[in-house]
Amino acid sequence: MMRPNPPIFLVVLLLGPSLAQAASPSMTAIRPMGGRRGTELEITLSGARLKDARELVFYHPGIKATKIEAPSDTQVKATLVIAPDCPLGLHELRLRTDTGISEARSFSVGVLPEAAEVEPNNDFTKPQAIAMNSTVNGVAENEDVDYFVVDAKKGERITAEVEGIRLGIALFDPYVAIMDAKRFELASSDDTALVWQDAQASIIAPEDGNYIIQVRESAYAGNGNCLYRVHVGNYPRPTATLPSGGKLGEAVDITWIGDVTGDRTTKVTLPTAPQPDYGIVASDDKGSAPYANTFRLSPFGNVLEVEPNDDNGTATPFSPPLALNGVIGKPGDIDRFVFKAVKGQAFDIRVFARSLRSPLDSVLYIGARSGGVIAGNDDSAGPDSYIRFGAPADGEYVIWVQDQLLNGGPNYAYRIEVSPVEAKLNLSVPSESLIRGTGTIAVAVPKGNRQAILVNASRADFGGDLAISVSNLPAGVTFEADTMAASLATYPVLFTAKPDAAPAAALALLAGKPVDPKVVVPSQFSQIIELVLGQNNIPFWTRTVDSLAVAVTEEAPYSIEIVEPKVPLVHGGSMNLKVVAKRKPGFTAPIAISLPWNPPGISSAGGIAIAENQNEALIPINAAVGSEVRTWKIVVNGSSNGPTGPVLVSTQLAALTIATPFVGLTYQSAAVDQGKEVPLVVKVAKLVDFDGEATVALIGLPNKVTTEPKTINKTTTDLVFPIKTDITSPAGKHASLFCQVVITKNGEPIVHNIGTGELRIDVPIPPKPTEAAKPAAPVAAAPAPAPMPAAAPARPLSRLEQLRLEAKQRAAAASQ
């Protein structure tokens, strides 16, 4: 969700100005992957095209870079200062260079002192000694088992939590176990709902002595990319909270559930504005948990379940809108809540359980208190449940929730928000997934140039055109977006940097609102970063940010421009969109060009390039019959190789008008024997006035069939194509004929492709053999006839007349 007016956390790197020699930087790794808050440490960024690094962009507060060095094009060293109050957990960042901005990566901030794994530590009898309350950075290689030993007193809490998949490096399934000195496993964990596919285990030490922490890949199938951070200490680690969310700005009593020392309650004051991935951190006199418990922020107050509430008669009462909070405390438990509604009243009823890291696989029902189920749902909202309910009559209604497999336990917490149906607008940009080849989804605008990006709009419970705006851009950058039509869910927007804009970066905030001033809808923006994919390239670990990284970079060696068409693209028609390039002296490389977005019903050709040393190219585009008649704004993206990598720019937003055809054609079918001729008649209807003559070519004729192009004007009503066939022309029905009509306006062609006509080619009927054998009788010379006046041209036969004539000729031939 969008943070209103967030601060921007940028650091200008301490490197002097240089000529732009890199492009589109790639940051593939950060080592170490995390650090302790309140400390200073050096990290190494690895990748490609990094030697002109200039700036680190952090999406969250609390981290600053004070020194950066780029010893090579593949490595950057940065000194980070992590504030004492820096939020714990993952922080997304990007690296800006002179000519680009990198993909997003994650950096983990912890609360414990940091240590490094020291090999060999894979012998249980020779574990690596570490201090209680420390974070160890290690790697789980193939068939590798890492052992660490801590000293604890009887009754002391010992918790070990592994960050593995959460670091966003590889598909890593970590395993952790806490063992005594006799190798007896006291607690272990593979997948824990609280920490996604990572692992977390806790015990109370049964006696004074040494305790061994084992870390490995769950199937012993690790590799060099299976990096981990294991947090070992006597800190609290509850596995759930009650309630699981709260109202913005309120102070809420939180019961921490699932810690091995027992439950306890504290008061937490919630922020006044929504925050993405918000969480609350458990702490006590031993310290703080290394990671927050996910906590839902909303506009709704809370009601807690009151047991017993397993049947309609004991259901916990409430009055919506409210959030219902509880725990499916044991197997078979069902929690019920009752409320009153009037006929026609509508509510969205949404469960938050798995999304808040609860093990509950919810099934949600609603029914009349007097009995009967009205609606039920399992997984409409991902693994959670959702129902839209409209009250069929005045009365009392019961909401109840249970686990899909009737499981339960002390940490099976849930939150059910019951709210009126309200319009919502969610904006986003395409997910960034380098593994699937999307490239970096951020905006890097060269000075004096442009870059476009697609914006997605998801409307809920409203429709209509949208206006898109943006704030918090770097100085010298402007934003342009046409109205997003009601029929669209995706539209291109354009960022332009002034020639004198200073290279810099910012986290821009996108917002949308209906063009209709009577419709007021809250808007939020998000971008998904796909870091780890599972089987079949399904996103397995993602991060969501609420702003768009926008950077000004050094000049690109070229720019491109659309030559805006002066004529429309008509239904069924085609057009060659002209794109021209302006090249810097010495830049001759080919430039790949394409439309990143086509208006509805419009298609464009791919694989088009402005050739080496050339300055223009044509992109064929086509309009389907029935495509929406209006003027759209289109953009063309260009990509070319600079000195060390790809350089991306865009054209201006250019107008493309879609129109109905200027003429309509109606075809009369024609039939002809091989080797013969036949007229094909086409009726012409003028639909839009035009000047001059238009050329008409009949396209799609079979092999060895010819005709000649024709011309028409706005008064033409009939068009006749003389069809000539060859004795070898393919027989059969040819039903894919169409006419290409070209009307010239404003010096440009308007190309119509109008179909479809039909031509049937028959094999001639051979003469009877007896007739062929008869000798020819002498024929007396007849007197020369008197000259006749010139006959008028024969009227073309209609299809019915042709068939009648053919039947008559065949009957006459058969009777001889």
Side-chain angles (χ1 to χ4, degrees):
M1 289 179 286
M2 186 172 290
R3 293 189 305 267
N5 302 317
I8 305 304
F9 307 100
L10 307 175
V11 180
V12 178
L13 309 191
L14 306 179
L15 295 176
S18 66
L19 294 176
Q21 295 296 319
S24 301
S26 175
M27 180 174 60
T28 56
I30 302 174
R31 302 292 184 270
M33 285 296 301
R36 183 188 184 191
R37 67 181 178 185
T39 65
E40 179 179 302
L41 77 156
E42 184 180 82
I43 63 171
T44 299
L45 313 175
S46 302
R49 302 179 293 277
L50 302 179
K51 65 182 178 182
D52 59 344
R54 292 289 179 265
E55 193 171 24
L56 284 178
V57 182
F58 290 92
Y59 282 85
H60 306 287
I63 308 177
K64 294 183 179 180
T66 58
K67 181 182 179 181
I68 291 192
E69 296 177 346
S72 71
D73 199 36
T74 60
Q75 191 176 89
V76 171
K77 294 185 179 296
T79 300
L80 300 185
V81 176
I82 307 175
D85 61 349
C86 181
L88 299 179
L90 297 173
H91 291 247
E92 280 64 52
L93 70 152
R94 296 181 188 268
L95 176 66
R96 182 186 67 81
T97 65
D98 278 340
T99 54
I101 190 165
S102 75
E103 64 272 43
R105 296 292 176 186
S106 294
F107 182 82
S108 180
V109 173
V111 70
L112 303 176
E114 302 269 330
E117 176 199 5
V118 178
E119 292 280 5
N121 65 340
N122 57 354
D123 186 339
F124 179 84
T125 63
K126 298 177 181 179
Q128 178 182 342
I130 60 173
M132 181 71 81
N133 293 315
S134 62
T135 295
V136 182
N137 294 275
V139 58
E141 297 281 2
N142 187 41
E143 298 186 359
D144 185 20
V145 180
D146 295 336
Y147 293 104
F148 307 93
V149 60
V150 294
D151 182 69
K153 301 295 183 182
K154 180 179 179 179
E156 187 176 6
R157 176 175 51 202
I158 305 173
T159 298
E161 178 173 330
V162 180
E163 284 184 273
I165 192 74
R166 285 176 288 175
L167 297 178
I169 303 172
L171 189 62
F172 174 27
D173 185 9
Y175 174 91
V176 68
I178 304 174
M179 312 164 79
D180 64 16
K182 299 176 183 179
R183 208 166 189 152
F184 183 77
E185 191 175 276
L186 303 174
S188 65
S189 171
D190 179 0
D191 299 335
T192 303
L194 174 68
V195 291
W196 290 269
Q197 193 172 313
D198 286 339
Q200 178 267 330
S202 296
I203 66 165
I204 298 295
E207 58 185 6
D208 294 357
N210 290 336
Y211 291 86
I212 312 299
I213 311 300
Q214 180 195 97
V215 179
R216 59 177 172 84
E217 203 279 331
S218 62
Y220 299 93
N223 56 62
N225 288 323
C226 292
L227 273 68
Y228 64 82
R229 286 165 56 81
V230 57
H231 310 282
V232 181
N234 56 14
Y235 54 82
R237 197 58 175 115
T239 55
T241 66
L242 183 66
S244 300
K247 186 176 182 179
L248 291 165
E250 284 195 345
V252 181
D253 288 327
I254 303 295
T255 299
W256 301 92
I257 300 170
D259 189 87
V260 291
T261 61
D263 298 349
R264 63 191 185 89
T265 300
T266 62
K267 189 175 288 291
V268 175
T269 300
L270 303 179
T272 57
Q275 296 182 17
D277 300 323
Y278 180 74
I280 54 178
V281 178
S283 62
D284 61 14
D285 59 337
K286 300 299 183 182
S288 296
Y291 217 85
N293 285 68
T294 305
F295 195 83
R296 166 86 177 160
L297 298 174
S298 76
F300 310 114
N302 289 324
V303 62
L304 303 183
E305 65 158 322
V306 178
E307 290 283 5
N309 62 344
D310 289 357
D311 56 52
N312 288 1
T314 59
T316 301
F318 76 99
S319 297
L322 270 179
L324 318 177
N325 297 267
V327 177
I328 301 298
K330 60 184 178 180
D333 188 17
I334 300 174
D335 288 350
R336 299 176 188 256
F337 301 84
V338 62
F339 69 103
K340 293 181 179 180
V342 299
K343 182 177 180 180
Q345 200 170 8
F347 296 98
D348 281 333
I349 308 172
R350 190 180 301 272
V351 176
F352 297 89
R354 287 292 179 90
S355 58
L356 298 179
R357 310 317 311 152
S358 169
L360 174 66
D361 183 4
S362 65
V363 181
L364 178 68
Y365 295 97
I366 188 167
R369 191 171 194 177
S370 57
V373 175
I374 295 175
N377 179 258
D378 183 4
D379 294 335
S380 279
D384 288 333
S385 309
Y386 164 78
I387 293 173
R388 172 160 290 179
F389 170 70
D394 295 357
E396 289 187 315
Y397 296 91
V398 175
I399 294 170
W400 66 98
V401 63
Q402 63 190 56
D403 184 79
Q404 199 270 340
L405 297 177
L406 297 181
N407 291 327
N411 58 350
Y412 276 60
Y414 61 85
R415 177 179 176 84
I416 306 173
E417 292 184 1
V418 184
S419 62
V421 175
E422 294 179 341
K424 296 181 180 66
L425 172 61
N426 294 304
L427 299 181
S428 64
V429 292
S431 298
E432 179 175 285
S433 181
L434 271 68
I435 306 172
R436 292 195 289 126
T438 65
T440 299
I441 308 297
V443 178
V445 196
K447 293 195 297 186
N449 221 310
R450 297 170 291 242
Q451 191 169 110
I453 194 168
L454 299 182
V455 172
N456 306 316
S458 175
R459 304 168 178 85
D461 298 299
F462 81 100
D465 294 352
L466 295 176
I468 308 298
S469 61
V470 69
S471 59
N472 205 51
L473 289 171
V477 176
T478 58
F479 173 81
E480 183 182 356
D482 194 24
T483 298
M484 182 183 286
S487 58
L488 296 182
T490 300
Y491 210 40
V493 301
L494 189 69
F495 296 83
T496 302
K498 295 180 180 178
D500 59 351
L507 296 176
L509 302 177
L510 273 75
K513 67 177 183 179
V515 172
D516 184 350
K518 298 178 183 178
V519 180
V520 179
V521 178
S523 168
Q524 60 183 18
F525 172 81
S526 63
Q527 180 184 8
I528 295 174
I529 313 296
E530 297 179 3
L531 295 170
V532 179
L533 301 182
Q535 292 183 349
N536 300 319
N537 280 340
I538 301 299
F540 196 91
W541 176 250
T542 66
R543 295 288 291 167
T544 300
V545 295
D546 62 351
S547 50
L548 176 66
V550 179
V552 179
T553 63
E554 295 294 346
E555 291 183 354
Y558 71 99
S559 63
I560 55 176
E561 190 97 7
I562 293 174
V563 178
E564 193 167 86
K566 299 177 183 177
V567 296
L569 175 62
V570 297
H571 288 171
S574 59
M575 174 185 289
N576 286 324
L577 188 68
K578 187 175 182 179
V579 181
V580 297
K582 295 181 180 179
R583 299 176 180 268
K584 297 285 186 182
F587 179 74
T588 61
I591 304 167
I593 55 174
S594 63
L595 276 76
W597 174 84
N598 293 313
I602 309 304
S603 59
S604 59
I608 306 299
I610 300 175
E612 184 176 2
N613 280 316
Q614 299 299 307
N615 294 323
E616 62 182 53
L618 301 176
I619 302 177
I621 57 177
N622 301 277
V625 175
S627 50
E628 188 171 350
V629 175
R630 64 178 294 159
T631 296
W632 303 100
K633 289 296 184 72
I634 59 171
V635 68
V636 170
N637 285 344
S639 175
S640 187
N641 286 326
T644 60
V647 179
L648 310 175
V649 301
S650 301
T651 66
Q652 83 282 21
L653 292 179
L656 176 66
T657 299
I658 311 302
T660 56
F662 284 42
V663 296
L665 303 179
T666 303
Y667 296 79
Q668 293 184 1
S669 298
V672 64
D673 286 346
Q674 290 172 322
K676 302 292 185 177
E677 298 184 12
V678 67
L680 190 148
V681 180
V682 181
K683 295 290 185 179
V684 181
K686 183 195 72 174
L687 304 177
V688 177
D689 203 16
F690 64 94
D691 296 326
E693 290 189 332
T695 61
V696 185
L698 186 61
I699 310 295
L701 290 170
N703 188 37
K704 296 292 185 73
V705 179
T706 60
T707 190
E708 56 189 37
K710 298 291 183 177
T711 61
I712 61 172
N713 57 40
K714 61 185 178 183
T715 64
T716 303
T717 58
D718 292 287
L719 187 61
V720 180
F721 288 97
I723 304 297
K724 297 180 180 179
T725 67
D726 185 83
I727 192 64
T728 61
S729 295
K733 183 185 292 185
H734 305 278
S736 58
L737 278 61
F738 68 95
C739 284
Q740 187 170 86
V741 182
V742 180
I743 298 172
T744 301
K745 185 176 181 180
N746 299 324
E748 295 184 5
I750 306 172
V751 179
H752 300 62
N753 297 308
I754 307 174
T756 56
E758 180 181 308
L759 173 67
R760 195 187 81 228
I761 301 177
D762 297 321
V763 176
I765 297 175
K768 291 183 177 180
T770 54
E771 292 180 353
K774 289 180 181 180
V779 179
M788 298 291 293
R795 176 180 64 83
L797 297 180
S798 69
R799 177 59 180 156
L800 181 59
E801 291 170 333
Q802 292 179 30
L803 293 174
R804 287 173 176 169
L805 179 59
E806 292 171 6
K808 184 177 180 180
Q809 292 172 341
R810 284 183 170 82
S815 64
Q816 293 179 358

